[in-house]
Amino acid sequence: MVKKQNIFILLFGLVFVFSVGYGQSKASKGDNYFFQYEYQRAIAAYEKDLTEGTISLKQYLNLADSYYKTNDFDKASEVYFELYKKDTLLGNHHFNKMLQSFSKTSNRDRMEAFLATKSSSFDQEFLENLQFNSELLANSNNETLDFQIFNLEANSGQSDFSPSFYEGNLLFSSGRTQDKKRRYVPTGEGYLNIFKGTLKPSGQVDAVNAFEEIPNSDYHKATPFYSQKLQSIFYVLSNTNGGDLAFNENGKNALAIGMQVKDGPFRLLLKDLSTSFYYPFYDEKNDKLYFSANFEDGYGGTDIYYVHTNRGQIMSAPINLGPRINSPGNEIAPYVFENSFYFSSDVFYGLGGMDIYKSNVEGDSFSIPVNLGNGINSDKDDFGFIMRNEGEGLLGYFSSNRNGGKGSDDIYGFKVDKKPGLRTLTLKGKVVKGNSPKDFVDKAEIRLFDDEGKLLAESYSGADGSYRIEIPWVKSLVLESSKERYSKLHLELTEQELEDLGTSEYNIPISSYDDLVEEREKQTVVKLKKFFFGRSKTQLTPDIEAELDKVVSFVEKFPSVQLRIETYTDSRGGGSTNFTLTQRRSDAIKKYLINKGVPNTNILYSVGYGEDKILNNCTNGVFCLEMLHQQNQRSLIVVLNDNVLFD
């Protein structure tokens, strides 16, 4: 079975390994073939060793990888599974390959079963990415954009990939042969070189020639990125010494990243004979240089990193983007466009070998990466995504080895009205106190439900009250938020309301019970400003109604409260008259609350106490100032079930 060479052979295959020792019991011809990326010949040699019983566990893993590289996923999954049972060399990166193999053979149930056994070893961010994208891709109602995708007429019969805008041109990498005497053995093509073609209004490219504005080399030059701000081209190149390939102590030649200033000097930016660097992208806004690399302390195969620079000059050690972006698979080809971070990954939960994902840049962090879905992604390898504004829409390019191409990898163009990607819904903002919006609420629970009551997502507010939840797009939902001793928000949002939210923030108000009550006369009461009825009156004034509206709001926030209305007078007047007066006042308060929507079941009692509970010495016959008499004129809304309300 012959597999079209893909990006892993083209770029990972740029690395030469002449001798590798693993302390194995028997050397194998398969090792030489494997480390020269001649996978079919490696399979033949390793299978011979297997029948002779001389293959080591490491060579057995190489055999699995060789099956995987040649698309023999049935055999690859069998060998990975055998190694998994031995619990030896199968780390997260190869576990990802095993799950990919299962998915390629339509054995998804088996894949999910094995994933469950390994989930504890993965980062929480990765598991969230997995769940989100699985749900997103399974949602058949998800809207996709109408792409105009076209194969470039400038593609060759070899590998063409990694496009980059260059003024009115397109730069790209190609394995098309220029010198028939110099071929790169693993691919059978020429050494990779950078080419330039003229962009036409249709998006097609013509007048393709070798790009001559970078230093000449007999070896690989690939994956260019042009920074207009710096007037410089970043690209990868084989490590050389005096014009010849340079190797580390293990006989390995890796890839470096260089920077060529137009009409200026060349600078070698990142070089390590034991580590290869891929796909440079310079972020002009933040002066960061992003790239992929296979450092040993990464999360999988190749991870995406960045370094701080001063106009391209390296100013920091490489910084890993972390498990929100990097996975047990390979992540390559970073690209930033209008605050969206695009990259490619072969993590097992995608549509094919390598898929393109989009994540929103949020300060120093990233949102959950979202698969761009069918159209740009396929069941093959899709990578090297770029895009820019063009007229009233967008023009972009990417590389793919999907069926129907001209070569091993082809460059495809696309035109679209708005940013590609499966549609999602993002709710973000802060949880605040309803009665004091400037005060944030931490550790509040936020939950989203569909219209049938199914939980879609849940999260908690941070120390500053901030929250963020992203889900596949839905046309309606219910938002709930709560915290112990706080009110519970229940909000139904229609499709139009969700559309209107857009990318704006939505602050969630919930009220603290303890802020709304206080202790008075050895009992818990609703916190109100003191109000007074007119002399011998029972009518509610606007000031009284304004305070009672606070009780209405309190019951709305805490619908389980049980209340008692208590009203008192001072000692002036007859005792019987005062008792009747306060009872009528309590009844007037109850009537108002019920008319304003407070359920009758929440008000257990409305009681007038007359002058029975004088708070000071102003009893019958005692002369007191008016202000002292007013201390005894009061109405209280008592919370009877305060001690069990939150049990």
Side-chain angles (χ1 to χ4, degrees):
M1 177 181 179
V2 178
K3 176 184 181 293
K4 292 198 308 177
Q5 303 296 331
N6 61 19
I7 189 61
F8 293 107
I9 298 180
L10 286 169
L11 283 185
F12 289 62
L14 308 188
V15 181
F16 289 78
V17 181
F18 282 75
S19 62
V20 180
Y22 289 94
Q24 54 204 31
S25 58
K26 178 182 180 296
S28 170
K29 291 182 180 179
D31 297 337
N32 293 329
Y33 295 136
F34 181 81
F35 292 110
Q36 291 294 324
Y37 305 96
E38 298 183 58
Y39 295 116
Q40 289 290 357
R41 299 178 74 177
I43 288 172
Y46 283 140
E47 286 181 342
K48 183 174 182 295
D49 295 337
L50 188 62
T51 59
E52 295 174 355
T54 58
I55 197 169
S56 69
L57 286 174
K58 177 58 182 174
Q59 291 165 342
Y60 199 41
L61 182 59
N62 292 346
L63 175 59
D65 286 344
S66 299
Y67 287 140
Y68 185 88
K69 293 292 186 181
T70 55
N71 277 359
D72 194 342
F73 297 112
D74 283 312
K75 289 184 178 179
S77 61
E78 291 175 6
V79 179
Y80 285 135
F81 178 52
E82 287 299 318
L83 289 166
Y84 174 79
K85 289 193 298 184
K86 295 180 183 297
D87 193 26
T88 52
L89 301 173
L90 209 65
N92 283 356
H93 179 49
H94 282 97
F95 190 76
N96 176 70
K97 289 184 177 181
M98 182 177 77
L99 298 186
Q100 272 276 29
S101 299
F102 285 150
S103 67
K104 292 285 190 180
T105 56
S106 301
N107 203 338
R108 194 165 188 84
D109 291 340
R110 194 178 191 188
M111 181 193 78
E112 292 176 355
F114 279 104
L115 177 63
T117 68
K118 190 82 171 179
S119 60
S120 61
S121 67
F122 292 121
D123 292 277
Q124 182 62 34
E125 293 92 336
F126 169 75
L127 296 175
E128 291 171 355
N129 295 355
L130 161 65
Q131 180 179 359
F132 187 90
N133 278 276
S134 297
E135 292 176 358
L136 188 66
L137 293 172
N139 185 357
S140 60
N141 296 322
N142 212 304
E143 300 178 14
T144 57
L145 298 178
D146 183 19
F147 287 102
Q148 300 176 37
I149 296 179
F150 50 91
N151 189 295
L152 291 195
E153 296 169 358
N155 284 318
S156 68
Q158 288 74 45
S159 299
D160 300 294
F161 63 98
S162 187
S164 176
F165 294 113
Y166 178 65
E167 299 172 340
N169 306 289
L170 196 72
L171 301 180
F172 61 93
S173 307
S174 180
R176 60 188 70 191
T177 303
Q178 292 181 288
D179 183 352
K180 295 182 179 180
K181 295 181 180 179
R182 293 186 57 79
R183 288 183 176 271
Y184 180 54
V185 174
T187 65
E189 300 179 356
Y191 280 90
L192 291 174
N193 198 7
I194 297 173
F195 289 80
K196 180 182 75 172
T198 303
L199 276 175
K200 299 167 66 175
S202 65
Q204 286 288 350
V205 175
D206 64 3
V208 172
N209 291 290
F211 187 56
E212 297 180 350
E213 297 180 35
I214 56 177
N216 188 34
S217 169
D218 290 332
Y219 303 105
H220 294 296
K221 303 186 293 292
T223 64
F225 175 78
Y226 172 64
S227 167
Q228 185 175 17
K229 180 179 180 180
L230 300 184
Q231 291 287 288
S232 299
I233 299 98
F234 298 83
Y235 65 102
V236 301
L237 65 159
S238 299
N239 284 318
T240 58
N241 184 10
D244 296 322
L245 289 173
F247 303 95
N248 70 359
E249 63 276 9
N250 294 318
K252 178 180 178 180
N253 172 261
L255 291 170
I257 290 179
M259 170 184 172
Q260 175 64 56
V261 181
K262 287 187 66 176
D263 302 321
F266 169 82
R267 292 208 306 265
L268 195 59
L269 300 181
L270 291 167
K271 178 180 179 179
D272 183 336
L273 291 181
S274 298
T275 302
S276 280
F277 301 93
Y278 313 99
Y279 284 100
F281 171 83
Y282 176 70
D283 185 351
E284 296 181 345
K285 179 180 178 181
N286 298 303
D287 208 7
K288 292 179 179 178
L289 178 62
Y290 291 91
F291 58 90
S292 301
N294 56 354
F295 292 119
E296 291 184 358
D297 59 352
Y299 290 89
T302 56
D303 283 3
I304 298 177
Y305 296 79
Y306 72 88
V307 290
H308 293 286
T309 79
N310 180 8
R311 296 185 60 82
Q313 183 66 46
I314 306 298
M315 302 298 289
S316 76
I319 300 169
N320 191 298
L321 264 58
R324 179 60 77 201
I325 297 296
N326 293 315
S327 77
N330 296 287
E331 280 70 46
I332 61 170
Y335 187 79
V336 179
F337 175 72
E338 293 184 347
N339 218 40
S340 292
F341 185 83
Y342 296 87
F343 66 99
S344 297
S345 174
D346 69 349
V347 66
F348 62 86
Y349 53 71
L351 290 176
M354 199 153 244
D355 283 0
I356 301 168
Y357 292 81
K358 179 185 75 172
S359 174
N360 296 322
V361 182
E362 300 177 343
D364 293 330
S365 61
F366 297 88
S367 69
I368 291 176
V370 175
N371 192 296
L372 293 193
N374 279 306
I376 286 211
N377 287 325
S378 67
D379 61 352
K380 303 297 183 180
D381 293 325
D382 306 288
F383 56 96
F385 177 95
I386 63 172
M387 182 169 60
R388 74 180 186 189
N389 292 305
E390 189 88 359
E392 296 181 356
L394 297 163
L395 170 68
Y397 298 89
F398 64 96
S399 308
S400 178
N401 64 352
R402 62 187 60 190
N403 295 334
K406 299 177 182 178
S408 300
D409 291 294
D410 278 12
I411 298 174
Y412 292 81
F414 67 89
K415 291 186 176 182
V416 70
D417 292 334
K418 57 184 179 180
K419 283 185 181 181
L422 296 176
R423 194 175 185 188
T424 64
L425 171 65
T426 301
L427 292 176
K428 61 183 179 180
K430 293 184 182 292
V431 182
V432 299
K433 286 189 175 181
N435 57 314
S436 181
K438 293 183 179 180
D439 295 331
F440 304 134
V441 181
D442 67 344
K443 300 178 182 178
E445 184 179 36
I446 304 100
R447 309 176 82 192
L448 303 182
F449 298 87
D450 66 14
D451 51 12
E452 295 180 352
K454 177 185 176 182
L455 179 65
L456 301 175
E458 61 181 331
S459 183
Y460 289 86
S461 59
D464 62 349
S466 62
Y467 77 95
R468 186 186 187 284
I469 302 180
E470 187 172 6
I471 60 172
W473 175 259
V474 292
K475 294 185 176 180
S476 64
L477 60 78
V478 174
L479 184 153
E480 289 187 355
S481 182
S482 62
K483 182 180 178 178
E484 182 69 16
R485 301 189 71 82
Y486 277 77
S487 63
K488 181 177 182 179
L489 176 75
H490 179 94
L491 183 64
E492 297 180 7
L493 295 171
T494 65
E495 181 175 12
Q496 186 58 54
E497 289 171 326
L498 294 175
E499 293 275 10
D500 292 342
L501 273 176
T503 58
S504 60
E505 293 193 351
Y506 178 74
N507 288 347
I508 297 174
I510 58 175
S511 298
S512 168
Y513 174 81
D514 296 321
D515 287 347
L516 302 179
V517 300
E518 62 182 346
E519 290 297 314
R520 289 184 62 183
E521 301 177 31
K522 297 183 179 180
Q523 53 190 352
T524 300
V525 301
V526 180
K527 188 183 292 184
L528 304 173
K529 292 180 181 178
K530 192 166 185 178
F531 55 82
F532 298 99
F533 287 84
R535 186 71 178 169
S536 301
K537 303 292 186 182
T538 61
Q539 289 80 15
L540 303 182
T541 66
D543 288 343
I544 295 174
E545 291 178 348
E547 291 306 303
L548 293 182
D549 287 343
K550 295 178 183 178
V551 180
V552 177
S553 176
F554 176 76
V555 176
E556 289 174 348
K557 293 177 174 62
F558 301 97
S560 298
V561 294
Q562 298 174 351
L563 305 178
R564 178 174 64 224
I565 302 169
E566 299 180 356
T567 304
Y568 302 87
T569 67
D570 57 38
S571 62
R572 293 175 292 186
S576 176
T577 299
N578 284 339
F579 176 81
T580 301
L581 179 64
T582 54
Q583 185 62 55
R584 290 173 61 194
R585 287 175 174 175
S586 288
D587 290 342
I589 291 173
K590 178 179 179 179
K591 181 179 179 180
Y592 179 83
L593 295 177
I594 290 174
N595 287 341
K596 295 290 281 189
V598 174
N600 188 61
T601 53
N602 286 99
I603 305 174
L604 300 190
Y605 309 98
S606 61
V607 182
Y609 285 94
E611 57 185 85
D612 281 356
K613 296 184 179 181
I614 299 298
L615 299 177
N616 51 31
N617 292 326
C618 297
T619 56
N620 287 330
V622 177
F623 173 78
C624 286
L625 298 174
E626 181 64 26
M627 61 175 292
L628 295 176
H629 279 302
Q630 286 185 345
Q631 290 180 1
N632 297 311
Q633 300 170 25
R634 62 204 189 275
S635 294
L636 304 176
I637 311 297
V638 181
V639 182
L640 297 173
N641 59 338
D642 170 77
N643 60 330
V644 296
L645 192 59
F646 299 104
D647 289 349

